Amino acid sequence: MTTPSCSPDIRRRQWLAATAALALSPALRAQATYPQKPVRMIVPMPPGGATDGMARLIAMKLGERWGQSVVVENRAGAGAIIGTQAIARAAPDGYTFGLVISSHTINPALRSTLPYDTLKDFTPLTQLGSAVIALVAHPSLPASDVPGLIKLVRAEPGRLEYASLGIGTATHVAGELLKVKAGLDMPHVPYNGSAPAYNDLLPGRVKLGFVILESALPHIQSGRLKLLAIANGQRSSAHPDFPTIGESVPGYAYESIFGFVAPAGLSADVAQKLSADLIATIKRPDVVQQMNAWGTDVVASTPAQFDAFIRQEIDSTRSVAKSAGIKLTD
């Protein structure tokens, strides 16, 4: 039995299809094949905390999307510099990327030297989201909102202290920004994290503090602390009834960010694929719900938007640091 011969039109269409397949750009071919092996996600924080939880959630969902493992590697220490440096020094092949936090924009603004260049040594992928920073007070403080706080501080400059979660943290910058924008004299009392800060905030030894909303919510709900406002530029999607400081102090906005970057030199096609898949993963309803439960508003920005945001935050933080005289030891 002989096989019928193809007509000239059929042969021509087959030839065109084969030619088109061979002519696919390297970008499309790379996107179709990436990733072909497990991918490493570097997290500059220790395991077990909220930041690590976010990273592991994204890693799991991204791994499901790819059919490849995304292995979380915790590289904590030195104000997130150790982990961030590990991202910068990794091979730019798409098989290592990492999470960055607010220190990514704070460190270059407050330190004279870093073992990497924040603007040159990374490929921005997307801003995961922003943690909500809360301005809270002890119930005994005779102010229940930002206008009342401003009036109180101006009446007795230098008397009311505010707590933060440490020198050079997002909560510290948020507090100094309020002082600069509202012209306030409030001494800063830094603590080494949330637990020691609450040890003094809850009994009222320090009556005012900038903290992460997620950790403050149980104390707010129990009445042991009261919320004056949040520092973020917009009201939280998870808590739309909470006012922002910017509603009372024009031009005020500060956010504790989370985002993903890869080493500089990553090919445009792999960067596009990695960014697009991260954004799609972050926007999943179950991921958004969990992120909101952790006190984080999802952003899922484009690489260009994230790059612009990083540059803007460095400039803004540098300006606040100059006005407030903040500097970190290198």
Side-chain angles (χ1 to χ4, degrees):
M1 181 176 178
T2 59
T3 303
S5 62
C6 295
S7 70
D9 284 344
I10 293 175
R11 286 197 300 271
R12 182 172 180 274
R13 286 197 295 270
Q14 291 174 336
W15 178 83
L16 288 173
T19 302
L22 290 172
L24 278 175
S25 69
L28 291 177
R29 289 202 300 271
Q31 289 191 30
T33 58
Y34 170 83
Q36 295 182 312
K37 61 182 182 180
V39 177
R40 180 174 60 146
M41 179 196 293
I42 296 175
V43 177
M45 299 293 285
T51 302
D52 181 60
M54 292 180 207
R56 291 180 185 276
L57 173 65
I58 301 301
M60 179 180 68
K61 300 297 183 181
L62 191 60
E64 292 173 359
R65 181 182 186 88
W66 284 340
Q68 291 284 357
S69 297
V70 179
V71 181
V72 173
E73 180 179 319
N74 298 92
R75 300 286 295 274
I81 291 174
I82 291 175
T84 307
Q85 182 182 16
I87 301 170
R89 291 184 174 180
D93 56 7
Y95 288 95
T96 298
F97 71 102
L99 182 73
V100 290
I101 58 177
S102 290
S103 59
H104 195 59
T105 58
I106 293 173
N107 281 331
L110 303 190
R111 297 179 186 271
S112 58
T113 60
L114 283 171
Y116 50 81
D117 187 314
T118 304
L119 299 180
K120 296 180 180 179
D121 291 344
F122 301 94
T123 300
L125 298 171
T126 183
Q127 182 182 348
L128 167 59
S130 59
V132 181
I133 297 176
L135 173 58
V136 299
H138 189 265
S140 65
L141 186 75
S144 296
D145 54 25
V146 173
L149 173 66
I150 292 173
K151 182 178 179 181
L152 181 66
V153 175
R154 286 178 177 170
E156 299 184 85
R159 180 175 179 182
L160 182 63
E161 301 172 323
Y162 83 91
S164 82
L165 306 185
I167 295 175
T169 63
T171 56
H172 180 200
V173 177
E176 294 303 309
L177 181 61
L178 176 58
K179 289 166 61 176
V180 170
K181 291 291 186 182
L184 303 180
D185 181 1
M186 294 190 304
H188 172 225
V189 183
Y191 290 85
N192 188 23
S194 297
Y198 287 126
N199 283 342
D200 278 355
L201 282 167
L202 294 176
R205 285 189 288 269
V206 176
K207 297 186 183 297
L208 188 71
F210 280 87
V211 295
I212 301 300
L213 178 61
E214 179 207 6
S215 66
L217 275 175
H219 306 306
I220 295 169
Q221 292 164 349
S222 69
R224 300 184 70 188
L225 291 175
K226 57 185 176 182
L227 176 84
L228 303 189
I230 63 171
N232 296 48
Q234 297 180 343
R235 292 199 176 199
S236 168
S237 57
H239 303 281
D241 295 336
F242 293 170
T244 68
I245 295 174
E247 291 169 21
S248 301
V249 181
Y252 182 97
Y254 193 78
E255 303 181 10
S256 178
I257 67 162
F258 303 96
F260 291 107
V261 300
L266 185 64
S267 63
D269 48 289
V270 173
Q272 181 181 353
K273 167 71 172 172
L274 178 53
S275 174
D277 287 349
L278 277 167
I279 290 170
T281 299
I282 293 166
K283 286 183 175 180
R284 285 178 51 145
D286 56 337
V287 172
V288 172
Q289 182 180 18
Q290 183 60 66
M291 294 291 289
N292 289 165
W294 282 330
T296 299
D297 288 338
V298 168
V299 175
S301 60
T302 66
Q305 289 170 334
F306 190 32
D307 180 60
F309 181 79
I310 290 169
R311 294 172 185 275
Q312 171 190 313
E313 285 299 294
I314 292 173
D315 289 343
S316 176
T317 303
R318 188 173 285 129
S319 176
V320 172
K322 183 177 179 180
S323 298
I326 310 170
K327 181 175 175 60
L328 294 178
T329 303
D330 294 321

